[in-house]
Amino acid sequence: MQFVKERLGKWITAAIIIVVGILCIVAGAAMGGNDPETAKNALDGISITLGVILIVVGALALALGVVVTILAKKGFLVVALPGAIVLALGISLVVAKYGASLISILLTVIPYLLICIGAVIFIDAIINLVQGIIKKEVNAILVAVIVAIVVSVAAIVLGALCVGSDPVIKWGVQLIVFGIIVCLIGVLEVVLTFVKVPDVVVAVVKTEKKEEK
């Protein structure tokens, strides 16, 4: 029972993430299959899901604000204002259902991020390669440089295929890929509650140079 109590919050969060990911996949598949009604329902489902979550969080924050105000005798405005903002966002998502617009903006920005970040990784890999040649340490960094170049080129190509008003990778496919990534994040969140991540311990050893007599 203690195991469940300690991880219930993470499981709920993971379930919400997976639901949002599945709705993105359904919406993307519906767009690819020319089923706008199903796509609209799935995207509206995303808005409602996120909106209900924010409403619950905002309501709890307001309730907590009342308790803190009574017990600690603090001003209600400062304590409750963040909860009111979250509650307003949740209600607006449920009523206006603009979750699809937020995802659309995100999918519009991501390709450009991939291109720019990929270019930076590529330049960094080339600089490291040049420095390795100068220092005659190519063998030590060759694998890392190759991996960085492959990742950077893949990011640049993927980003380039997703940009433009009529991209090679259509918006529906992008939405499916986004949904799969979101689902994997949710699954990873669940897996990490059962698998203990090893702690990384860094030991710093200070050495003092003896003075030469």
Side-chain angles (χ1 to χ4, degrees):
M1 184 61 68
Q2 185 65 25
F3 178 85
V4 175
K5 288 182 179 179
E6 292 176 353
R7 292 160 176 81
L8 183 60
K10 292 184 178 180
W11 290 346
I12 294 174
T13 302
I16 294 169
I17 292 173
I18 292 172
V19 168
V20 171
I22 292 172
L23 290 173
C24 289
I25 294 172
V26 171
M31 289 178 181
N34 295 321
D35 188 357
E37 186 64 26
T38 302
K40 181 181 182 301
N41 292 335
L43 292 173
D44 288 346
I46 295 173
S47 299
I48 294 172
T49 301
L50 295 177
V52 170
I53 294 168
L54 292 178
I55 289 172
V56 172
V57 172
L60 290 176
L62 287 175
L64 181 61
V66 173
V67 174
V68 170
T69 300
I70 295 174
L71 297 179
K73 297 180 180 180
K74 292 184 178 181
F76 180 70
L77 177 63
V78 177
V79 178
L81 188 58
I85 294 173
V86 172
L87 181 62
L89 289 174
I91 295 173
S92 65
L93 271 169
V94 172
V95 175
K97 297 182 179 65
Y98 57 86
S101 300
L102 296 178
I103 295 175
S104 177
I105 293 172
L106 184 62
L107 292 179
T108 302
V109 173
I110 287 177
Y112 296 98
L113 287 175
L114 288 174
I115 293 172
C116 293
I117 294 173
V120 170
I121 295 174
F122 183 82
I123 294 171
D124 180 69
I126 297 301
I127 292 174
N128 290 336
L129 180 61
V130 172
Q131 290 177 346
I133 294 173
I134 294 173
K135 297 178 182 179
K136 297 180 180 180
E137 298 176 349
V138 178
N139 293 333
I141 64 169
L142 186 59
V143 175
V145 168
I146 292 175
V147 172
I149 290 176
V150 171
V151 171
S152 64
V153 171
I156 293 171
V157 171
L158 183 60
L161 293 176
C162 294
V163 298
S165 57
D166 187 20
V168 176
I169 300 178
K170 303 300 181 182
W171 199 81
V173 178
Q174 295 180 37
L175 191 57
I176 291 174
V177 173
F178 177 77
I180 292 172
I181 294 173
V182 171
C183 286
L184 290 176
I185 293 173
V187 172
L188 180 62
E189 184 78 14
V190 175
V191 171
L192 289 178
T193 61
F194 293 95
V195 179
K196 184 178 180 181
V197 180
D199 297 326
V200 178
V201 179
V202 180
V204 179
V205 180
K206 182 179 180 181
T207 59
E208 296 182 357
K209 184 178 180 181
K210 295 182 179 180
E211 297 181 356
E212 294 182 1
K213 295 183 179 180

